Every structure is written in C-alpha cells, then in structure tokens.
Amino acid sequence: MRTRDLVALVIEQQELALQREKVEQHHKSLFAYNPQPVFTMDSDGRFISINLPAVSF
C-alpha cells in the first residue's frame, strides 16, 4: 500500500468514527430528553436502561 492510500484510509476511519459518535450522541439525547417513557431490555427481558419518565411512570 502506498502512503497516500494509508493516509486516505486513516482519514476515512476518522470520519467514520466521528459519524458514529454523532449518531451515538443523538440517540443518547433522544433517550435522555424524551418526555415519554423509554427503556431498553436485553434478550432475557431484563431492563438495561430506563429514562427518567419511565421511572416515574
């Protein structure tokens, strides 16, 4: 692989990491600031996370 190919690959990986971070922050914000109860469960039906409106539901 040539140097410019490696540089392009690193830049692409950094851009993908930034996109993933933005999506993750967006989902966290939707979860935290949603006025409706929101929760996630694992495949066994156990709660993994709950937002504040779900706690007071």
Side-chain angles (χ1 to χ4, degrees):
M1 225 180 217
R2 294 194 288 199
T3 302
R4 81 174 160 183
D5 294 334
L6 290 173
V7 170
L9 183 59
V10 168
I11 291 170
E12 181 181 353
Q13 288 175 344
Q14 287 176 333
E15 289 172 348
L16 289 173
L18 286 173
Q19 285 178 344
R20 281 192 302 271
E21 186 175 328
K22 282 177 86 173
V23 168
E24 184 177 322
Q25 287 298 327
H26 178 73
H27 284 101
K28 283 182 180 181
S29 179
L30 287 174
F31 186 86
Y33 298 110
N34 193 332
Q36 299 296 316
V38 178
F39 56 89
T40 57
M41 299 173 83
D42 66 13
S43 60
D44 294 323
R46 293 181 298 233
F47 289 100
I48 296 175
S49 59
I50 271 184
N51 71 347
L52 190 56
V55 172
S56 58
F57 185 67

